[in-house]
Amino acid sequence: MNPLASDPSGSGRTEQIASEIRFLEEAGRLATENVLGSAGGPFGAVVVCGGTIVGRGVNRVTSRPDPTAHAEIEAIREAARTIGRFDLGECVLYVNCDPCPMCLAAVYWARIRRVVCGSPASLAAEAGFMDVSLKAELQLPPEKRRLAVEQIDLPACREAFRLWNLSGQKIPY
């Protein structure tokens, strides 16, 4: 179901749809400018809180260089700085393409309540990005993944968690 489809009941959703389209178009504009400026990949994102854009981001993986500098991550970082908190639970993320697994995890960490996408991840895959294959990889049991992850259980590595659990000053996130 397309959440931006017209509401046949005419219950005032028209104004909301216009805002959603405007924010998606801004994400698309950012992505297009990023490609034309050769600053990074074809991805753009905006974080909106209370009807106002509080964060913008474009893919800067190659220009930084930083493999985590995805548009969604950049927009989330800017939004958190703008509103002065890490909990973006009152915000909506608008992106020109479905988020990759890393960005989707960041959305959960930021507690963003909703994501609106302008195109499917299959377009990113067709353009050579690993979004779809990475999602498939992460769905495999750990022992079947390409990336070997090993654990050496050490008391020194557990100490920070012991102290965190005892702390009366911690801010859960």
Side-chain angles (χ1 to χ4, degrees):
M1 181 172 134
N2 181 353
L4 299 181
S6 297
D7 182 359
S9 68
S11 64
R13 183 136 159 78
T14 305
E15 193 172 305
Q16 180 185 358
I17 292 168
S19 289
E20 304 240 285
I21 290 171
R22 182 172 52 94
F23 296 135
L24 274 177
E25 285 177 340
E26 176 65 6
R29 184 190 67 74
L30 290 168
T32 299
E33 284 183 2
N34 200 49
V35 171
L36 293 174
S38 300
F43 303 98
V46 295
V47 175
V48 174
C49 189
T52 301
I53 294 175
V54 294
R56 287 180 170 81
V58 294
N59 181 285
R60 297 198 188 285
V61 169
T62 56
S63 62
R64 283 255 156 92
D66 177 352
T68 68
H70 289 205
E72 298 91 332
I73 304 284
E74 297 291 301
I76 288 168
R77 287 174 178 159
E78 184 175 289
R81 283 190 303 270
T82 299
I83 65 175
R85 61 181 187 270
F86 63 86
D87 185 336
L88 304 179
E90 299 171 11
C91 300
V92 178
L93 175 69
Y94 293 86
V95 292
N96 73 308
C97 185
D98 285 338
C100 74
M102 176 183 71
C103 292
L104 194 56
V107 168
Y108 276 98
W109 278 111
R111 293 176 173 72
I112 290 174
R113 64 182 172 90
R114 192 166 150 251
V115 178
V116 181
C117 308
S119 63
S122 59
L123 285 180
E126 290 169 13
F129 294 94
M130 59 189 244
D131 301 46
V132 174
S133 64
L134 181 56
K135 182 178 178 183
E137 174 85 6
L138 292 173
Q139 291 175 338
L140 294 173
E143 66 277 2
K144 294 194 179 206
R145 295 180 192 157
R146 293 185 322 252
L147 177 65
V149 176
E150 301 173 21
Q151 184 180 54
I152 300 173
D153 195 0
L154 293 177
C157 296
R158 292 174 166 264
E159 181 63 7
F161 293 101
R162 186 185 72 75
L163 294 173
W164 174 262
N165 288 331
L166 294 174
S167 175
Q169 310 253 335
K170 66 184 170 193
I171 300 172
Y173 60 92

